[in-house]
Each structure stands twice: as structure tokens, then as C-alpha cells.
Amino acid sequence: MSENYVPKSAVGKWFNERLPLLDLIYGHLMPYPTPKNLNYFWTFGGILTFCLVTQIVTGLVLAMHYVADADLAFASVEHIMRDVNYGWLLRYIHANGASLFFMAVYIHMARSMFYGSYKEPRELIWIIGVFIFLLMIATAFMGYVLPWGQMSFWGATVITNLFSAIPIVGESVTNWLWGGYAVGSPLLTRFFTLHYLMPFLIFALVILHVWALHVPGNNNPEGIDVVKGSQDTVPFHPHYVVKDLFALVVFLIIFAGFVFFVPNLLGHTDNYIQANPLQTPEHIVPEWYFLPFYAILRAVPDKLGGVILMVSAIAILAFLPWLDTSKVRSAKYRPLYKQFVWLFFANTIFLGYLGAQVADGMYLIMGRIATVYYFAHFIVILPLLGYIEKTKPLPKSLSEPVLSKEEKEIIASGATT
Amino acid sequence: MSDKPVTRRNFLYITTGTFTAAGAASLVWPFVDQMNPDASVKALASTEVDLRPIAPGQSITVLWRGKPVFIRRRTPEEISEAKAVSLDELPDPQDDAARAKNPEWLVMVGICTHLGCIPLGQKGEYNGWFCPCHGSHYDTSGRIRKGPAPSNLEIPDYVFLNDNTIKIG
């Protein structure tokens, strides 16, 4: 895709002949053939890349002022908020950026599910994506511990205690994680180190994710194969560069709305109270983006069972390309799947709602039903649908669904124009 | 001027570009400014010093904004030595009266103007300060006399709050 690229400047030529880096970047950003019918759900890849870079850049400057020590961490965060020039802005961008990162990634994943982007030949893109999601979860969780407020401390306590559910070695593993007999300074320091490291691992995986994407090319709302370089594709630049930028601007407006008007809306007030190992807050909740998984954890009346189920809820995503037995990708042509996938989205959001409630009475029962449905979607509904669903006929090209009846007749009559 | 008319597209292109550039620049500034001295550092920007324990011929070094400040109660010989020097002999000409508000008290930042080492007191060829790093000699007024340093030892802003106390910064 990049064989024609010649840098204009003499320095560029000199460089590119020795290391064709410009060639590589140019090929992936400029002429890369993209299906012409991508809708705005396809702009989230670019938005997510922006989120990752924003988190890395703001995180880098926060790390210049933050102190990872149980006695100093909370005060250093307040120091950032009150003393450091624009510290409040940088921290609010970083904290809200994490939330918006997850909002974007959930939309990105939902898009992939709706349009069957994870299916052959794009399984590996999806699996790399699941690993990125896993790393994001770990990074976000560890990041939330760093301010060393009450939620940080007790969140860290609850989540690290999950490992104590492992039979026999559970206690040794938790003591190893803590570097002590309870959550404290050693844990905080190692979480800070890992929180700093993981975004760079995510960045590396993102490169693989895009590389793997650019082999078969993008899926599209019709879910049909597109011949590269045919009338069904357009060059990435300027068509999708401009579309992605426009979507990014809209996203940034929402982002700025959170940062400047409701910076603490998605946080928890208890985290402005310094960690106290002698008192647990009345109601412990994780960040909103973990709530569905938290609800699954609590749905099981067994310590080990809950942990296994919660981990499975994420791990099962990696097997999605094989659990879905249908050959048709897009939900547009799968009348039954279209209803079930919406039901799945609604159920996941419902789980998120339940995760924020007290795990008791009706909430617990509904949590169990929703948990069963979550897994049934993957291991019962999806495998069966491939066999029993009568799919709609697929279009032959991306143009066909938008052509008028007359235009179709002209093509059908074999007229060559 | 070119003959091409200015189109609506030119206008939109340039205004969009300008706003993007201005927006990007204003976004970059917080990331740069966060490294500047913060409010907690600025709050410690002045230091008060009690001069009573210092006898003539004695010096103390105090920390001001993280830097050493020499406060020397000069002897009459040192003062007359400093005042006797002709300005023509000095690489960085400055009158002693301009360097010491009260001739008895010399207050200056104890950092060699060459590359930032701390000069040793009452050393060197001029009986003032001598920097061991690269051999700069300062006189009893802290003025550079010999060696690689380009200028005299810096005099910080200070005021005498009363006869016994000064406030630096």
C-alpha cells in the first residue's frame, strides 16, 4: 500500500532510504483503503488512541509531583490540586480521562459485537483487544488506589483479597501482593510502578491491534467482504481522517464538560477522606466502569465461585469469535441476533446498575438472573443462533443497499457503463 | 498580491487552522507551567534572619529558596579594603556601597557565578571568597577579581526589618 511514497524533502529521502519509517506511517495513515460506508461508531478507534495518549501525557506530569508512600500520597495529591500550577486541571483530565476511556472502549466493543467485527478473519484483532481491555482494567484499578483515599484503600483491600479465595496458597499470594500482612506502603509503591508501566504495554498492544487490523482491513456496517482498491473503498486520508477528527472534537466537548463543570461526578466523595485502615466506609463501590463485573462477583454466594465467575465474565470475551457460530457478521442481516445483542447490552447495563446497589434482597436475586443471562448469551444463545437463525440475504457490494430500485435494475440487466 | 481571489474555502481553512493552533498552544501551556515553582514553593520565597549572634569577622550561611546565602559581618579592615579598590581594576565594576546597604553587613547569594559551586570564605588572593571548582577569586565585597566567573556574587533582595533582623526575598 506504500510502494509509491517518496518524501519530498532531501532529508526525508535520505532518512527513508535508510529506514522506511515514513513509508510505514504514510501507508497506514494516508492511502490505506477503507470501506466507504463506515459510520460514526468506527471513529472510536481514533478516540481511544487519543485517550491513551492523553492518559500517558497527563500521567507523566502527575508522576512528577506525586509521592507513592502511604504517609505522603494523600497529601501529595492535595498538593497537586492546590499548589502545583494547573495541577487541578491535569489531575481532573487524568481522572475523568480514565472514565471516558472506558466509555469509549465499551462503545468500541459494542460496535464490534453488533457488526460482527470479531469474526473470521479478524479474530486476532479482537483477542488483542480483549488483552488491551484486561490491561486497562488493571491499570485503572491500580490508578484508583494511588490517591490513597478511603475508596482507594478499601477498594485495594477488597480486590487483593480476591486472591485469598485461591485454595491452599491464597494467603501466601495475598501476603506476597501486599508485601506485608495488610494493604500498606509496599502495595502502594508497587501499584504505582505497575500503573506507570502498563500504559506502555497497552500502547504496544495497540500497535499490534492496528497492524492486525490493517491486514484484512476494516469490517463495515454491512459486514461483507470488501475488495481492497475497489469502488467500495476510499483512501483513509482525507475521508476518515476528517471524520475521525470531527468525532474527536465532539468527544472533546463532552470531555471538557466533565473536566470543567462536573469533575467529581464520576468519582466518589469518600476518596477525599484519607485512607484509614481502622474504618471501612459504609458502602464500598468500585468505579462505574467495573460495576457490571462487581455485580457478577457479588451474585455468587461463594467466595471462590464469585471470583471465578467474575474473571470468566471477561475471559469469555476472548472466545467470542468461536462461540458465535453464524457466518453472517452484521446484526443488520441477523434478525434474531439483532434483538439478542441489544438484550445483552441492556442486561450488561442493568448489571452495572445492580453493582451500585446494596447486595441484598431483590437486588441480589435480580443480580443472579442477570448474571445467568450474561453467560447464557455467550454459551447458549450465540452458539445456537448460528444454526436456527434465518439470516437476510447479504448485499453484493457496499453500494447495493443504497441504490434505488431503478439503479439496481440497470445493474441487473447487465448494462455496462 | 496574487491574482487568485480569496475564496470562502481559503477563509475557512485559515480560521480553522488558526483556532486549532491557538487551542493547541493554550492546552500545551498547563503541561509546561506545571514544572514552574508551585504555590507551596513560592510561599517559602522569603527568609528572616536574626543577626544578633554574629560577631564582627563572622559569617553565617542561611538557606533561601534552596540556595545558600552568605551573611558576613565585615571587619573594618575588610570594609576599607573593599572601598579602596579602583573600579578600573574590576572585571564587573560595582561600587562596594552598591553591594552593601549597611557597610558592616554583606549579604549575597553564595553561588559562584561561573557554574554554581559554593565558594569558600576568607580564601583566595583577595581575602574574600575562593571557588574550589574552577579557581575564581572574589574580594571582600564578593566581587570577581580573577578566574573564569563572569560576574560578582549576586546580591539578593533584602531589607533590614530592624537593626537586628533582615528579611531576604
Side-chain angles (χ1 to χ4, degrees):
Chain A
M1 66 182 81
S2 57
E3 59 273 22
N4 299 328
Y5 181 65
V6 180
K8 284 193 187 104
S9 70
V11 179
K13 270 196 197 103
W14 183 91
F15 186 89
N16 205 49
E17 277 164 17
R18 283 152 184 83
L19 178 69
L21 184 68
L22 300 169
D23 225 351
L24 186 77
I25 295 168
Y26 175 87
H28 284 283
L29 274 182
M30 308 288 275
Y32 168 67
T34 323
K36 63 183 178 184
N37 62 337
L38 301 187
N39 58 33
Y40 274 105
F41 287 108
W42 262 265
T43 61
F44 282 89
I47 287 171
L48 284 162
T49 312
F50 172 85
C51 285
L52 178 61
V53 173
T54 305
Q55 291 306 92
I56 289 177
V57 174
T58 51
L60 205 68
V61 296
L62 288 172
M64 293 180 186
H65 305 282
Y66 173 75
V67 185
D69 180 280
D71 293 329
L72 305 170
F74 187 82
S76 77
V77 172
E78 284 309 301
H79 165 70
I80 290 169
M81 294 301 288
R82 292 153 192 252
D83 294 341
V84 174
N85 303 316
Y86 293 102
W88 58 272
L89 178 64
L90 300 167
R91 177 165 173 264
Y92 278 154
I93 292 176
H94 197 71
N96 286 283
S99 272
L100 282 145
F101 202 163
F102 273 94
M103 260 179 224
V105 89
Y106 284 136
I107 296 171
H108 191 66
M109 291 163 78
R111 187 270 290 156
S112 187
M113 287 183 173
F114 190 85
Y115 295 111
S117 299
Y118 51 82
K119 287 186 198 181
E120 200 262 315
R122 298 182 183 82
E123 303 96 320
L124 204 52
I125 310 170
W126 171 261
I127 291 171
I128 294 168
V130 172
F131 278 98
I132 293 174
F133 179 54
L134 259 177
L135 277 177
M136 277 177 67
I137 290 174
T139 310
F141 162 64
M142 291 182 185
Y144 194 59
V145 174
L146 302 185
W148 213 239
Q150 275 288 68
M151 278 294 166
S152 301
F153 185 91
W154 293 101
T157 302
V158 169
I159 300 298
T160 50
N161 262 312
L162 293 179
F163 292 91
S164 70
I166 303 169
I168 305 163
V169 292
E171 201 187 326
S172 318
V173 170
T174 42
N175 287 348
W176 174 76
L177 278 175
W178 292 334
Y181 303 102
V183 170
S185 247
L187 177 103
L188 178 59
T189 315
R190 62 193 62 172
F191 270 22
F192 179 55
T193 311
L194 295 172
H195 181 74
Y196 205 121
L197 166 74
M198 284 182 173
F200 296 98
L201 299 181
I202 294 176
F203 198 87
L205 284 183
V206 167
I207 291 172
L208 295 184
H209 194 63
V210 175
W211 188 6
L213 167 70
H214 285 204
V215 175
N218 289 74
N219 183 32
N220 62 78
E222 304 301 318
I224 59 170
D225 287 326
V226 166
V227 183
K228 274 186 193 176
S230 73
Q231 294 228 316
D232 276 346
T233 66
V234 289
F236 189 74
H237 181 80
H239 295 88
Y240 287 108
V241 168
V242 171
K243 187 164 182 162
D244 279 1
L245 281 177
F246 177 72
L248 182 62
V249 168
V250 174
F251 179 79
L252 280 175
I253 291 171
I254 298 166
F255 199 148
F258 275 106
V259 169
F260 292 108
F261 294 97
V262 280
N264 289 307
L265 181 72
L266 300 170
H268 200 291
T269 45
D270 275 1
N271 224 28
Y272 282 103
I273 302 169
Q274 189 165 1
N276 179 0
L278 300 178
Q279 192 187 20
T280 305
E282 271 186 34
H283 186 43
I284 289 254
V285 277
E287 291 279 81
W288 68 267
Y289 39 81
F290 294 145
L291 288 173
F293 304 110
Y294 191 57
I296 291 174
L297 170 76
R298 297 191 307 184
V300 188
D302 175 76
K303 191 172 176 180
L304 182 61
V307 177
I308 289 174
L309 220 56
M310 184 179 71
V311 174
S312 309
I314 299 164
I316 203 166
L317 292 171
F319 301 94
L320 183 57
W322 295 278
L323 292 171
D324 184 346
T325 51
S326 175
K327 293 281 174 232
V328 176
R329 294 195 189 102
S330 176
K332 258 179 139 173
Y333 300 99
R334 299 184 60 189
L336 283 176
Y337 175 72
K338 193 176 185 174
Q339 293 170 36
F340 279 113
V341 78
W342 277 117
L343 208 56
F344 172 76
F345 295 155
N347 183 62
T348 309
I349 292 167
F350 183 56
L351 273 171
Y353 163 77
L354 293 174
Q357 309 306 316
V358 178
D360 204 16
M362 269 308 284
Y363 289 122
L364 197 57
I365 294 163
M366 288 191 288
R368 285 176 187 162
I369 295 168
T371 300
V372 168
Y373 186 78
Y374 180 94
F375 285 98
H377 177 80
F378 289 106
I379 50 186
V380 181
I381 297 169
L382 284 185
L384 280 182
L385 276 187
Y387 298 102
I388 59 174
E389 185 176 44
K390 189 174 179 333
T391 56
K392 292 181 188 167
L394 292 172
K396 290 186 182 62
S397 74
L398 298 185
S399 303
E400 202 189 296
V402 290
L403 290 178
S404 66
K405 209 178 166 194
E406 293 77 30
E407 286 168 323
K408 277 182 194 162
E409 276 163 9
I410 293 167
I411 291 168
S413 69
T416 49
T417 46
Chain B
M1 287 294 282
S2 85
D3 303 332
K4 284 184 193 163
V6 176
T7 62
R8 182 182 139 88
R9 175 163 292 212
N10 293 138
F11 174 78
L12 289 173
Y13 188 72
I14 290 172
T15 45
T16 309
T18 309
F19 272 93
T20 310
S26 61
L27 194 65
V28 165
W29 175 241
F31 289 84
V32 176
D33 194 35
Q34 55 88 17
M35 284 187 17
N36 274 322
D38 63 39
S40 66
V41 173
K42 285 179 185 158
L44 300 173
S46 66
T47 305
E48 284 181 26
V49 185
D50 180 7
L51 300 176
R52 277 173 297 183
I54 311 167
Q58 281 189 332
S59 309
I60 62 162
T61 305
V62 296
L63 205 60
W64 170 67
R65 287 185 177 174
K67 294 191 279 196
V69 169
F70 295 153
I71 301 174
R72 179 161 179 81
R73 188 166 185 180
R74 296 191 292 185
T75 58
E77 299 82 60
E78 286 174 342
I79 298 170
S80 53
E81 209 176 301
K83 288 193 187 292
V85 179
S86 157
L87 290 188
D88 299 339
E89 293 174 36
L90 300 171
D92 181 11
Q94 200 177 15
D95 197 26
D96 184 60
R99 294 181 57 78
K101 291 179 181 173
N102 175 341
E104 199 179 10
W105 295 98
L106 183 62
V107 180
M108 54 190 187
V109 176
I111 293 178
C112 180
T113 55
H114 181 222
L115 290 171
C117 294
I118 301 177
L120 303 168
Q122 289 65 62
K123 288 263 169 65
E125 294 174 19
Y126 298 89
N127 194 30
W129 284 264
F130 171 71
C131 182
C133 290
H134 305 96
S136 293
H137 298 259
Y138 298 90
D139 65 13
T140 54
S141 185
R143 292 172 295 200
I144 181 67
R145 300 297 288 268
K146 189 181 165 189
S151 55
N152 304 334
L153 290 176
E154 187 194 339
I155 306 291
D157 283 333
Y158 67 92
V159 286
F160 279 87
L161 295 177
N162 53 50
D163 285 351
N164 295 322
T165 316
I166 60 164
K167 184 180 160 196
I168 308 169

